[in-house]
Amino acid sequence: MSVVEQYARAHIVSDAAVPLVDELEAVPVTLRYDPDHDPRSVRMTLPGTGGHEWVFGRDLLEEGLRAPTGSGEVRVWPCGRVQVVVEFHSAHGVSVVQFERQALLRFLRRTYMAAAQPVTH
């Protein structure tokens, strides 16, 4: 199976002591899915985090496109008709990432296509 990696433009707001990015600028966030490593999870890497990846359930991302979901470190909810918010909680603070809904839908579709590919040896 193949790894899916996609960049999506997002706005990030953080209460960390040092801001990750200019909150007015849309920045590229890396979305990654590796069905061989963990077929139920997706990974997000925010700019300015030194490569730290947030790992959470793909179903959480999908459910959050329709209704608020999640607890603990990751929460996802729709924001109007065209935006989706992903909120990350850590010891360093909270980061709120706002995406275009279509970008996340494209990513999820690609993950389901990758997971459905037959294994060839």
Side-chain angles (χ1 to χ4, degrees):
M1 291 186 246
S2 60
V3 172
V4 174
E5 188 166 278
Q6 177 177 315
Y7 295 93
R9 307 257 332 138
H11 290 275
I12 300 174
V13 178
S14 176
D15 70 352
V18 178
L20 297 174
V21 293
D22 181 350
E23 295 171 358
L24 300 177
E25 296 280 328
V27 297
V29 172
T30 305
L31 307 168
R32 184 174 170 83
Y33 173 72
D34 184 347
D36 292 330
H37 179 70
D38 188 354
R40 288 183 228 157
S41 296
V42 295
R43 299 168 179 272
M44 279 191 193
T45 305
L46 307 180
T49 61
H52 173 75
E53 285 186 321
W54 289 90
V55 180
F56 56 97
R58 181 172 59 165
D59 59 336
L60 180 74
L61 184 59
E62 184 176 9
E63 290 170 18
L65 295 176
R66 296 183 302 276
T69 189
S71 61
E73 293 184 342
V74 181
R75 299 173 186 155
V76 184
W77 67 89
C79 181
R81 295 176 56 163
V82 297
Q83 303 287 320
V84 175
V85 172
V86 182
E87 183 177 279
F88 299 102
H89 294 255
S90 73
H92 303 291
V94 177
S95 294
V96 177
V97 185
Q98 187 175 26
F99 291 94
E100 293 288 331
R101 185 175 186 275
Q102 287 299 337
L104 296 180
L105 277 173
R106 269 191 307 276
F107 173 69
L108 284 170
R109 281 189 201 115
R110 290 179 65 207
T111 69
Y112 286 111
M113 288 185 337
Q117 291 177 358
V119 177
T120 57
H121 296 286

